[in-house]
Amino acid sequence: MNASTGNALQDALKKHQLNFMPLIQTMGMLPVLLILCILFQLVTGYAETADFSHAWQSGRFLSWQNLSIIAQQASINTVLGAGMTFVILTGGIDLSVGSILAASAMVAVSISLVPGASFLAFPAALAGGLVLGLCNGGLIAFLRLPPFIVTLGSMTAVRGLARLLGNDTTVFNPDLPFAFIGNGSIFNIPWLVVIAFATVVISWAVLRRTVLGLHIYAVGGSPDAARLSGIRVPLVLLFVYGVSGLLSGLGGAMSAARLYAANGLQLGQSYELDAIAAVILGGTSFVGGVGSIWGTLIGALIISVLTNGLVLTGVSDIWQFIIKGFVIIGAVALDRYRLRGSART
Amino acid sequence: MSEIELRSAGPILEMRNISKTFGKLRALRNVQFSVAEGEIHALMGENGAGKSTLMKILAGAIRPDAGSEISIGGTLVAMTGPMAAKALGIAVIYQELSLSPNLSVAENIYLGRELRGKGLAAGWLDRTAMIEGSAEVLRRLGASFTADAKVCDLTLAERQLVEIARAVHSNSKILIMDEPTTTLSERETERLFTIIRALRDEGLAIVYISHRMEEIYELSDRVTVLRDGTYVGTLETHAISPNAIVQMMVGRDISTFYKKNHDAHNLRGKPILSVKGMSDARRVKDCSLELHENEVLGIAGLVGAGRTELARLIYGADRSSAGSVAVDGVVKRIATPLDAIRAGILYLTEDRKELGLFLDMSICNNINVGVASRDARMGGLLNFRKSRERSAQAIKDLNIKVTSPKGLVGALSGGNQQKVLLSRLLELNPRVLILDEPTRGVDIGAKSEIYRLIDNLAQRGIGVIVISSELPELIGICDRVLVMREGRIAGELGGPTNAAINQNNIAAILTAASECDVPEHRHPQYSNLESRAS
C-alpha cells in the first residue's frame, strides 16, 4: 500500500518534472535578472539617501524611463543574439556579426544619400547583411570549413569592407528616411524595442513551430544523425548563417537610425562578444541542440541591466568591464551547476 | 603439448571474478584470465566482448568493481593506476602507438625514467648513458636503427619495436599486444612474430589480442574467448578448430532464439532491391545482392568484413566508387541518405546514440523528425496534431515504455531507444529496411519483440536486410544469409538453391582461407587445422 502510493507519487513527480522542464530551462536566468534589478534599485537608492530603510523607494533604477532606456540599449544586442542563437543551436559560431552590422549601416546611410533611391536604404541594409551571412554559410556548409575560422576571417574582411564603403569616414544623413525606428515610438513603446521583441517572437516561431526549426535542433544535436535521417544539413547551415547575417543587417539599420550616421571603423566593435554572451547567458548549449530564444532575450537584458546599473551607481568604466566579465562567468557557472547531469555544455 | 606443460610453471598473472560496470552497462561479468610465464596467450572476442576493458583493467587505466581479484606471481595486488601496473611489470603495446615522435629512440625508451647526470651535470639529462643503455636492448631485439635516431624518421614497424624495447628495458614481465599487426606488412609481421617468440622463450608472458585467426594459430599457445562481457572458455589453441573458436565468439545457444513465423519460400515476391558491383575503393569490393519482397536477408561477417560500410553505401551515407542500386527494377541515383529515403530505402544505424537518436530531443520529435516535412502544413509549419497521433500510435504498436512522449529519448533504456529509432524509419513507409545490429545493447524482452516486428514487416511485403554479429539471430530470423569477408560477399546460404543456414556453414565461410590473402607457406599450422576440422 505504502510502497504503491510512494511509486505513484514518484511517477507524478516525474511527470511534473518532465512537463515543466522546458519552462525551467527558459526560466533559467530570469531569477538572476530579477535579483540584479532589485540589487541595483537598492544600491542606487542607498547612494541617494545613505539610508537603507528608504533605499527601495528612492532608487532610480526601476523607473519607467530607465527601464525604457535599458530595453532600447538591449534591443540591438537582442536582435544580434537572436541570429546568434540560430547559429549556436547548430553547434556553430558567428564572429562576424559586429562587422556585418557596420557594413550594413554604411550601405544603408550611403544609399539614403542617393537622390531618389533613399527609400531603398532600409531594404539594402537587410539585403547586405543577408548576402554576407550567406557567404559565411556557403563556405561553412558546402566547403565544410570550420565556422570559427570562416567567421573570424569574415569579421576582419567585412570590417575592412565597411571602412572601404565610406572611404574610411563617417557618413551622415540628417534626413535618414528610416530614422523613426531609432528614435520614434509607437503607443509609447520605442520602435527599437518593438523590432527586437518582434524578432524574438518570429525567431521563436521559426525554431519551435516549423519543420526547419526542428531540423536546426536536430543538426545541432548530431549532424551525422541528422544527415542519416534525411535532413539536408548544408541547407540548414546556410539558413542559420543567412539569418544571422540578415539580423546583423537589421541591427545595422537600427544603429544607423539611432545615430543618423554610420562609421565603418567604430560601429559594432565587439558586438559579437555581447551577442555570444547573451546566448550563453540564456542557457543555450555551446555544442548545439539545446537552448531557446527566450533565454537569449533574458541574456541580452542581463547584459544591458548590468551596464545601465553600473553606470547609475557610478562604477568606473574600467570596473564595469571586470564586473561584467565575472557576472557572465558566474551566472553560467551557476546555471551549469543547477543543470548538472541533465544538459551538456 | 608436452612443450607447453613444461613451460607453464604456474600462472604469473591471474585475474579472477573481474567485473566492471559503466553506469547501467555491465562491460564485464565475473571474467577470469590467466597467463603463465613463457606463454603467448591469445585473447579473442567480437567488438564489445570486453577484451579492451579487461586489458585496460590490467594496465591500470580503469578500476574494476569491488570483488575483482588480480594476482601477480601468486600474490594479490591492488591495481591503483597505470604507474602501479608498470611497477608490477605490466606493459601495453597499444594499437595507436604511444611514442613521442619528436624525441629520439633512447629518450622514448627512458621516458619517465630518464637518467640524470652526476656531479656538475646533476639535473641534466645524461644522453650518452641513455643511448648506451638503449643500444643494448635494441641489439637484443635485432633492431636495424640506432638509439639516437628520431622516432618520426622510423617506419611504423620500427616504432613498434621501440615500444617493445621500452617494455623489455623496464623489465616488464607481462606484455599486452593489442592488434599489433594491423599496420604491418607481411615481412614486418614475420619479424615481429620472431621477436615475440624470442621474448616468450626468455620467459615473458604475452597477451596477444587479434581478430586474425591465422595469427592466433601461428603464434599462440592458449586462447581465451570472451563474449558480451562474459568468460566463455580457455583452451589450448592447437586442440581446437577455428570453426569452434568462431562459434565460441559469436554464441551458440540457438535453441533459446526466436524462430521466424513467415515462410519466404511461399511468400517470396518479386525482387525489390538489386545492388550491383558496389565498391568504395577502401573496404567494400564489388558487392552485389538482390532482395525480394517478403524476404529477410541476413549479412554475416566478422568485425571489419565491410558489412556496415556496404549498408552505408547502399543508403548513400558514404560515397561509392562504383556500383548501382535499383529499386523495383529502376536504377536510382543515390548520393545522399535523402535520395535513399525517397527511393524507399531506410537504414537503421548500428550506433544509435551517435548516429541515430537526437538525445536532447523528445521521444515524439525523434519519431517524427524524418516525416515532419511530409506532414507539414502550409509549406513548413509543424503539424503537432499529426505528430502526437503518430508518436502515440508508434508507442502503442511497438510497445515502447515511456512516461510521456514529451520525455527525452536519452532517458529510455536501450531497447526502448531502439524501438523509437525503428518507428522513425517505419513512419517513412520503407520498401527496403536495412537494420544494422538491430538488437545490440537491447535486453532479451525487447530483442524478441524486435524479431517479431521484423517478421511482421516481411509479411507485409517489406524487404528486410539484417546485419548481425550474432549468428543465432541470423539463423533464427533470416530466409537467406550472405556472408561477407574482407569486403567481399564470400558466400550465400539459404534460399532455394544454397546450403542450409546453420552455424557450421556460416563459420566455414567466415574462416575459409582464400589463396590470395593467406598464402600457403605462411600458415602451415592453420591449413593443417583446416583439413583436420573438415
Side-chain angles (χ1 to χ4, degrees):
Chain A
M1 172 63 201
N2 230 344
S4 73
T5 48
N7 279 344
L9 189 71
Q10 255 178 5
D11 285 353
L13 274 175
K14 234 182 218 166
K15 251 182 212 162
H16 222 59
Q17 243 176 6
L18 282 176
N19 289 338
F20 279 97
M21 210 52 207
L23 190 64
I24 291 171
Q25 268 171 4
T26 48
M27 292 274 291
M29 283 292 160
L30 195 55
V32 174
L33 179 63
L34 296 178
I35 288 168
L36 280 175
C37 288
I38 293 167
L39 210 67
F40 279 127
Q41 174 72 357
L42 289 175
V43 172
T44 49
Y46 181 72
E48 203 89 337
T49 59
D51 176 8
F52 265 123
S53 51
H54 294 99
W56 181 260
Q57 290 93 319
S58 43
R60 286 179 298 143
F61 184 82
L62 288 177
S63 69
W64 183 250
Q65 196 194 354
N66 192 45
L67 290 180
S68 169
I69 290 171
I70 291 171
Q72 283 187 66
Q73 285 172 337
S75 61
I76 292 175
N77 192 25
T78 304
V79 169
L80 296 186
M84 192 68 77
T85 306
F86 279 83
V87 170
I88 291 183
L89 275 176
T90 64
I93 190 88
D94 188 349
L95 299 175
S96 65
V97 292
S99 298
I100 294 182
L101 180 141
S104 312
M106 289 301 295
V107 167
V109 179
S110 306
I111 289 189
S112 74
L113 289 168
V114 177
S118 65
F119 67 96
L120 283 175
F122 184 74
L126 298 186
L130 179 64
V131 167
L132 291 170
L134 289 176
C135 290
N136 280 336
L139 291 170
I140 292 160
F142 299 111
L143 295 187
R144 297 187 187 174
L145 300 176
F148 190 95
I149 294 168
V150 168
T151 59
L152 183 69
S154 58
M155 175 174 91
T156 314
V158 174
R159 175 63 62 188
L161 179 71
R163 292 174 65 175
L164 194 68
L165 283 170
N167 288 325
D168 210 8
T169 59
T170 304
V171 284
F172 294 97
N173 184 356
D175 301 317
L176 201 65
F178 56 90
F180 69 94
I181 67 167
N183 306 289
S185 298
I186 178 169
F187 304 126
N188 236 351
I189 304 169
W191 269 108
L192 285 176
V193 177
V194 173
I195 291 173
F197 196 72
T199 304
V200 170
V201 171
I202 293 169
S203 301
W204 169 82
V206 170
L207 286 173
R208 289 300 189 189
R209 288 285 178 267
T210 68
V211 175
L212 186 61
L214 182 65
H215 287 182
I216 288 171
Y217 277 92
V219 168
S222 168
D224 293 324
R227 200 170 89 87
L228 284 184
S229 48
I231 294 171
R232 279 173 289 198
V233 179
L235 291 187
V236 171
L237 292 178
L238 189 65
F239 175 80
V240 296
Y241 289 95
V243 166
S244 184
L246 177 73
L247 292 181
S248 304
L250 178 60
M254 290 161 80
S255 302
R258 262 175 87 179
L259 305 168
Y260 293 92
N263 177 303
L265 179 60
Q266 287 151 5
L267 208 58
Q269 280 286 6
S270 79
Y271 276 23
E272 60 280 346
L273 300 182
D274 276 346
I276 293 168
V279 175
I280 296 304
L281 277 174
T284 296
S285 158
F286 223 57
V287 294
V290 179
S292 84
I293 192 78
W294 299 109
T296 301
L297 175 61
I298 290 169
L301 286 174
I302 288 178
I303 293 172
S304 182
V305 161
L306 261 179
T307 312
N308 178 282
L310 290 172
V311 170
L312 279 189
T313 46
V315 175
S316 82
D317 186 38
I318 300 164
W319 278 99
Q320 282 181 32
F321 271 99
I322 296 174
I323 293 172
K324 263 166 80 175
F326 275 108
V327 167
I328 290 170
I329 294 172
V332 174
L334 195 76
D335 198 41
R336 293 291 175 259
Y337 183 75
R338 187 172 59 85
L339 294 172
R340 195 170 45 181
S342 68
R344 307 170 300 167
T345 28
Chain B
M1 283 287 284
S2 58
E3 208 184 339
I4 293 165
E5 277 161 20
L6 273 178
R7 271 208 303 266
S8 51
I12 178 165
L13 165 74
E14 211 164 356
M15 302 176 81
R16 278 184 303 269
N17 291 328
I18 306 291
S19 298
K20 177 68 197 175
T21 37
F22 296 104
K24 283 180 198 160
L25 185 84
R26 294 198 75 170
L28 289 176
R29 189 177 311 205
N30 294 332
V31 169
Q32 61 191 77
F33 185 68
S34 72
V35 198
E37 277 181 2
E39 179 193 31
I40 300 174
H41 196 128
L43 182 60
M44 293 200 79
E46 282 283 274
N47 275 3
K51 291 170 307 199
S52 2
T53 311
L54 186 66
M55 288 305 110
K56 277 184 189 152
I57 287 172
L58 186 54
I62 53 178
R63 289 206 185 194
D65 295 347
S68 307
E69 291 176 10
I70 302 174
S71 51
I72 289 184
T75 47
L76 220 55
V77 294
M79 205 60 82
T80 50
M83 295 311 285
K86 255 183 206 160
L88 289 162
I90 297 165
V92 189
I93 314 292
Y94 284 106
Q95 265 166 325
E96 61 285 0
L97 303 170
S98 59
L99 299 173
S100 307
N102 51 334
L103 301 181
S104 75
V105 171
E107 282 161 340
N108 268 288
I109 288 177
Y110 278 93
L111 207 62
R113 303 172 293 122
E114 289 86 354
L115 296 180
R116 303 258 156 75
K118 295 193 172 63
L120 271 180
W124 295 73
L125 285 179
D126 189 348
R127 283 218 167 73
T128 332
M130 279 163 42
I131 288 175
E132 276 168 14
S134 317
E136 197 262 318
V137 179
L138 292 175
R139 210 167 26 247
R140 257 172 70 201
L141 294 174
S144 56
F145 50 90
T146 57
D148 56 354
K150 280 258 188 296
V151 165
C152 55
D153 297 330
L154 304 181
T155 67
L156 279 175
E158 288 169 335
R159 292 183 196 196
Q160 200 169 43
L161 201 58
V162 176
E163 288 229 34
I164 295 172
R166 179 158 78 184
V168 171
H169 187 267
S170 59
N171 288 320
S172 298
K173 295 279 177 292
I174 300 161
L175 203 58
I176 302 165
M177 309 192 80
D178 192 356
E179 302 258 10
T181 59
T182 33
T183 52
L184 300 188
S185 73
E186 211 166 289
R187 275 185 57 111
E188 290 166 339
T189 303
E190 290 278 2
R191 287 200 50 197
L192 178 68
F193 283 4
T194 315
I195 291 167
I196 293 176
R197 288 198 196 94
L199 292 174
R200 167 186 65 189
D201 295 339
E202 283 179 24
L204 260 73
I206 291 157
V207 182
Y208 191 86
I209 301 174
S210 175
H211 280 116
R212 297 187 183 173
M213 200 64 79
E214 321 88 81
E215 292 182 357
I216 302 302
Y217 276 94
E218 185 168 339
L219 210 54
S220 72
D221 303 308
R222 286 194 298 166
V223 55
T224 290
V225 178
L226 300 182
R227 186 178 70 235
D228 299 333
T230 56
Y231 170 81
V232 182
T234 302
L235 290 154
E236 277 176 20
T237 312
H238 296 275
I240 181 174
S241 70
N243 249 339
I245 293 182
V246 169
Q247 294 206 2
M248 285 169 79
M249 278 163 58
V250 296
R252 64 175 73 176
D253 40 354
I254 284 180
S255 52
T256 63
F257 260 82
Y258 184 78
K259 273 271 165 262
K260 61 175 188 278
N261 256 329
H262 78 286
D263 185 2
H265 301 314
N266 297 332
L267 279 170
R268 178 159 156 171
K270 57 184 193 324
I272 325 175
L273 175 75
S274 146
V275 177
K276 287 211 175 68
M278 192 56 82
S279 311
D280 70 351
R282 288 183 306 136
R283 298 287 282 279
V284 179
K285 292 158 196 154
D286 194 25
C287 287
S288 300
L289 61 87
E290 194 146 273
L291 177 72
H292 299 256
E293 272 183 343
N294 306 103
E295 189 181 37
V296 181
L297 175 66
I299 301 184
L302 292 175
V303 172
R307 296 169 299 171
T308 297
E309 289 81 356
L310 173 62
R312 286 178 59 98
L313 289 180
I314 297 172
Y315 187 59
D318 297 320
R319 191 159 294 181
S320 59
S321 61
S324 69
V325 174
V327 178
D328 292 321
V330 183
V331 174
K332 302 278 181 181
R333 194 189 151 273
I334 294 179
T336 66
L338 190 60
D339 296 336
I341 292 169
R342 286 182 174 152
I345 303 171
L346 279 153
Y347 169 68
L348 179 86
T349 171
E350 59 173 342
D351 187 354
R352 67 173 164 267
K353 291 210 162 155
E354 293 292 322
L355 304 179
L357 294 169
F358 303 104
L359 296 173
D360 296 317
M361 295 198 332
S362 68
I363 294 157
C364 176
N365 278 343
N366 264 288
I367 292 174
N368 282 286
V369 69
V371 83
S373 44
R374 291 188 192 175
D375 284 350
R377 293 178 296 127
M378 297 195 291
L381 292 183
L382 286 170
N383 188 338
F384 289 108
R385 196 171 53 83
K386 198 85 193 253
S387 68
R388 266 198 306 275
E389 282 168 14
R390 280 187 189 273
S391 54
Q393 190 66 38
I395 286 167
K396 194 164 140 261
D397 288 350
L398 271 69
N399 187 26
I400 309 174
K401 291 182 186 63
V402 301
T403 44
S404 152
K406 287 186 178 151
L408 289 185
V409 79
L412 298 180
S413 72
N416 286 311
Q417 285 187 357
Q418 191 72 315
K419 289 179 185 173
V420 168
L421 195 51
L422 269 167
S423 41
R424 180 197 296 168
L425 308 188
L426 296 179
E427 295 301 334
L428 289 156
N429 290 325
R431 290 276 286 143
V432 175
L433 201 52
I434 306 174
L435 307 177
D436 198 349
E437 303 285 359
T439 62
R440 176 177 288 173
V442 164
D443 57 283
I444 296 285
K447 253 187 191 178
S448 57
E449 284 179 88
I450 290 172
Y451 296 146
R452 200 172 309 132
L453 177 71
I454 293 172
D455 218 1
N456 287 337
L457 293 173
Q459 273 172 5
R460 271 161 42 188
I462 295 173
V464 185
I465 296 179
V466 178
I467 297 171
S468 174
S469 297
E470 289 190 51
L471 294 191
E473 177 170 300
L474 290 177
I475 294 163
I477 62 176
C478 294
D479 305 307
R480 205 153 52 93
V481 172
L482 300 175
V483 184
M484 282 190 76
R485 201 182 62 232
E486 286 164 16
R488 293 176 193 280
I489 291 176
E492 179 176 344
L493 299 167
T497 51
N498 303 302
I501 308 173
N502 61 40
Q503 202 115 355
N504 277 331
N505 287 344
I506 295 177
I509 305 177
L510 281 179
T511 55
S514 62
E515 278 69 33
C516 57
D517 48 58
V518 187
E520 254 336 80
H521 65 270
R522 235 193 90 192
H523 303 287
Q525 293 137 317
Y526 180 60
S527 26
N528 285 345
L529 269 154
E530 261 306 283
S531 50
R532 211 194 305 162
S534 51

